């Protein structure tokens, strides 16, 4: 187990102990990629099966020194030969492994060696480092003979080097838990719905269950959930809380919530670390992650102790604070953050930090047997994000570009891959086609090409061909996703038009492995947590999320009462308008008239949502022609942060105008425009995903799995976007506003039952005007 309190002592895992005491030298990622978790487990199993009868695999061991307890599972022990095996799986030639990796492995093996000698009263033992190469399934073994007395001295030396830290950690844990017991809610009272949500979170943590909580926007879900899980921490003996978000704005809300809780005693004793993506934290994107290239990787582990100690002096390490400490100590900010995860109490990061195929939080939680609580913010986003995590794609155009400049050592493998690629879709007449499986000959060619690139990169470490490296990573990801794909994934080929200059008549054949039901993957993530809390304003219907996300069978469901009154939000359905694709041209004038009439009767700030940028531009253009006196501003594709900020800055208390945006985009959720900053919205779409070959393929698969293909593919995801967009209008108890749902399908019973119960919907009269209610006194 990682570091934890056990009575008056402290318990630490072998891996954590040795990574603290025995890591040295440079950060070096050249001996990568490491095998996947599945490959590692399989490799250990193969090694164990090759051993003689009586071989003991996964042997639980422990040892103590001066109040410190060290625990772990040795990979295997052969009693007849009196040999302990420490097994490490790897990919590629072993001679490329950096010396500091081997140094760490020997340290772990020796610690296990002493604990085994102690447990069985052995005077000495043979210790073997067994390196198992995944592709060839060959073993390379290094054996040393050690006397028990020497192993004990080594073990005690590692413990002494860790003891000062462990005592500091134990003191921190005791102070933190005492402060959490005394923690009080940071506001004079709970809002309506907040207390119910907090109680639900606390009960779920106390029972070790998963909770799905649907709660209206604007009630303060973040502070309610964080507070409740912190209060549950001491009683449930948690090791860590992970607050996971879909967007950067969610991370900021979590950091702000913890800052507000500082009025209590606990947050000053909480260590909070914000994780960001590597490309956002990297100081030298033009350099490779090893000491010969990047100065912040050079002597990383030698400088780490001082940087770690300095970082943990402050309770809250957001991205800026973490960067400051890292640069002060000349270490990589991204990998310093990864190291600090082990010692943080609360980790704030993106969904992918726990749910992704290579998620660091999930990997560490398993390795260290952490008891963790997971908070999943705006959980309606998890399905699409998880689908992308367990999907992969390869582009023929990128391979063609590589072949024109490929190194001699790599060129033959790329040529073979290109031929297999052509053969795969040679008979494909349509732009899109799904296939039952990825052909075996293509998989072999892709593996060989990836291996050739890996060999070249290892032989020329100074090379900086980013396109070759990126293709290598894309190929490896494709192969790993393929390993875990089943009937919850699709394989298809899309023939895209070739880019200018890439060759006439040569389409860009894009191969896609599309995950459509991430339940098998996410289920294991939920099972690894003590409790998981998923919360959002749009989680209806429950069975949709249960089926697609793989929620545990005993998951609790909570639909939190809205604190808002129906009179605060006037909702009208424009049942005379159709926004279906074939009717869009005919809908333009009606939509423009409706928006203009509403604005004329109640000037102020409004948001108008559309299904696409093309639809948005057509309505905005016609509106500008007919009503040049009304200020308008529009979302554009791929807006930079400063452009998004400028869009939102137009919504002032005294402002007037219409902001045009796409539904499901940057302004459809996660923004807060209270009071007069936003008094109404127009939603000119049901938000349904487009009907295309890919979505139709998904619909058929969903229908075969769940019997509700249309609902699971189109209706439920679309209405979620609508409810999120409408949630921008009412943000507080004193807010009032108006919303026009522009499409006749909003009148259908199957749509109405998916809308919030507190909404009071009435039909619009023609293009009539609805006046927002005046703010309550």
């Amino acid at each position: 187990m990682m570091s934890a309190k056990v009575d008056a002592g402290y318990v630490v895992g072998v891996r954590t102990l040795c990574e603290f005491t025995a890591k040295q030298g440079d950060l070096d990622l050249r001996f990568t990629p490491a095998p996947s978790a599945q490959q590692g487990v399989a490799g250990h199993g193969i090694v164990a099966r090759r051993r003689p009868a009586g071989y003991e695999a996964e042997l639980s061991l422990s040892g103590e020194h001066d109040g410190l307890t060290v625990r772990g599972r040795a990979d295997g022990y052969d009693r007849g030969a009196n040999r302990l095996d420490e097994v490490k799986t790897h990919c590629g030639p072993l001679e490329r492994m950096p010396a500091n990796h081997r140094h760490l492995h020997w340290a772990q093996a020796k610690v296990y060696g002493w604990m085994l000698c102690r447990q069985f009263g052995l005077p000495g033992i043979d210790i073997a480092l067994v390196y198992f190469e995944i592709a060839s399934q060959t073993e390379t073994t290094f054996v040393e003979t050690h006397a028990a007395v020497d192993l004990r001295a080594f073990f005690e030396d590692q413990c002494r080097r860790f003891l000062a830290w462990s005592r500091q950690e134990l003191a921190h844990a005791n102070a933190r838990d005492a402060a959490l017991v005394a923690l009080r809610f940071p506001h004079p009272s709970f809002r309506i719905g907040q207390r119910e949500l907090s109680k639900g979170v606390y009960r779920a943590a106390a029972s070790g269950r998963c909770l799905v909580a649907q709660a209206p926007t604007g009630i303060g879900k973040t502070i309610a959930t964080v507070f409740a899980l912190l209060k549950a921490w001491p009683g449930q003996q948690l090791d860590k809380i992970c607050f996971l978000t879909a967007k950067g704005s969610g991370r900021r809300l979590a950091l702000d919530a913890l800052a507000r809780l500082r009025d209590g005693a606990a947050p000053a004793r909480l260590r909070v670390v914000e994780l960001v993506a590597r490309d956002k934290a990297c100081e030298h994107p033009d350099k490779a992650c090893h000491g010969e290239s990047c100065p912040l990787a050079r002597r990383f582990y030698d400088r780490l102790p001082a940087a770690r100690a300095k970082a943990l002096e402050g309770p809250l390490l957001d991205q800026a604070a973490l960067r400051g400490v890292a640069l002060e100590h000349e270490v990589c900010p991204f990998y310093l953050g990864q190291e600090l995860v082990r010692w943080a109490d609360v980790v704030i990061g993106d969904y992918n930090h726990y749910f992704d195929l290579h998620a660091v939080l999930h990997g560490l939680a398993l390795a260290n047997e952490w008891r963790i609580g997971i908070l999943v913010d705006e959980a309606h986003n998890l399905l699409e994000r998880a689908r992308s995590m367990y999907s992969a794609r390869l582009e023929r155009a990128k391979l063609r570009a590589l072949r024109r400049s490929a190194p001699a050592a790599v060129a033959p493998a790329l040529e073979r891959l290109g031929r297999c690629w052509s053969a795969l879709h040679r008979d494909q007449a349509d732009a899109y086609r799904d296939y039952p499986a990825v052909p075996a000959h293509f998989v072999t060619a892709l593996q060989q090409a990836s291996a050739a690139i890996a060999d070249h990169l290892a032989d020329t470490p100074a090379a900086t061909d980013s396109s070759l490296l990126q293709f290598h990573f894309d190929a490896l990801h494709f192969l790993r996703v393929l390993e875990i794909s089943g009937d919850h994934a699709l394989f298809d080929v899309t023939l895209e038009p070739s880019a200018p200059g890439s060759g006439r008549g040569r389409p860009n054949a894009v191969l896609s492995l599309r995950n459509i039901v991430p339940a098998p993957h996410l289920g294991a993530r939920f099972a690894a947590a003590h409790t998981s809390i998923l919360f959002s304003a749009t989680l209806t219907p429950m069975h949709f999320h249960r089926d697609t996300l793989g929620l545990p069978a005993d998951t609790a469901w909570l639909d939190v009462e809205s604190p808002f009154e129906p009179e605060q939000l006037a909702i009208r359905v424009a049942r005379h308008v159709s926004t279906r694709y074939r009717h869009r041209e005919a809908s333009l004038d009606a939509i423009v008239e409706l928006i203009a009439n509403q604005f004329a009767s109640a000037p102020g700030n409004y948001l108008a949502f559309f299904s696409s940028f093309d639809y948005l531009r057509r309505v905005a253009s016609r509106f500008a022609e007919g009503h040049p006196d009304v200020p308008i501003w529009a979302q554009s594709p791929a807006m930079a942060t400063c452009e998004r900020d400028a869009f939102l800055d137009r919504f002032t208390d005294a402002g007037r105008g219409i902001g045009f945006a796409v539904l499901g985009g940057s302004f459809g959720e996660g923004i807060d425009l209270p009071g007069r900053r936003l008094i109404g919205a127009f939603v000119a779409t049901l938000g349904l995903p487009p009907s295309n070959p890919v979505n139709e393929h998904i619909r058929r698969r969903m229908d075969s799995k769940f019997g509700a293909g249309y609902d699971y593919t189109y209706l439920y995801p679309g209405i979620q976007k609508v409810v999120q967009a409408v949630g921008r209008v009412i943000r507080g108890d004193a807010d009032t506003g108006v919303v026009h749902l522009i499409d006749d399908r909003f009148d259908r019973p199957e749509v109405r039952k998916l809308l919030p119960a507190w909404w009071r919907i009435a039909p619009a009269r023609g293009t009539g005007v609805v006046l927002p209610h005046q703010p309550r006194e």
Side-chain angles (χ1 to χ4, degrees), residues 148 153 167 176 343 356 436 465 470 491 493 520 532 598:
R167 287 167 181 154
R176 176 202 62 214
W343 314 108
D356 188 73
D465 189 340
Q470 187 58 55
F491 172 59
V493 179
S532 300
Q598 176 62 52

Side-chain angles (χ1 to χ4, degrees), residues 283-328:
E283 293 289 321
H284 299 288
D286 59 325
K287 295 179 173 60
C289 292
H290 58 80
E292 295 175 26
S293 176
C294 179
L296 299 182
R298 193 175 305 128
R299 296 185 59 224
F300 176 87
Y301 291 109
D302 300 331
R303 295 169 174 155
L304 176 60
R308 178 173 53 212
K310 177 68 174 179
L312 295 180
E313 287 178 2
L316 195 150
L317 283 166
D318 60 11
Q319 182 181 357
L322 187 61
R323 178 178 183 267
V325 173
L327 297 185
E328 177 186 346

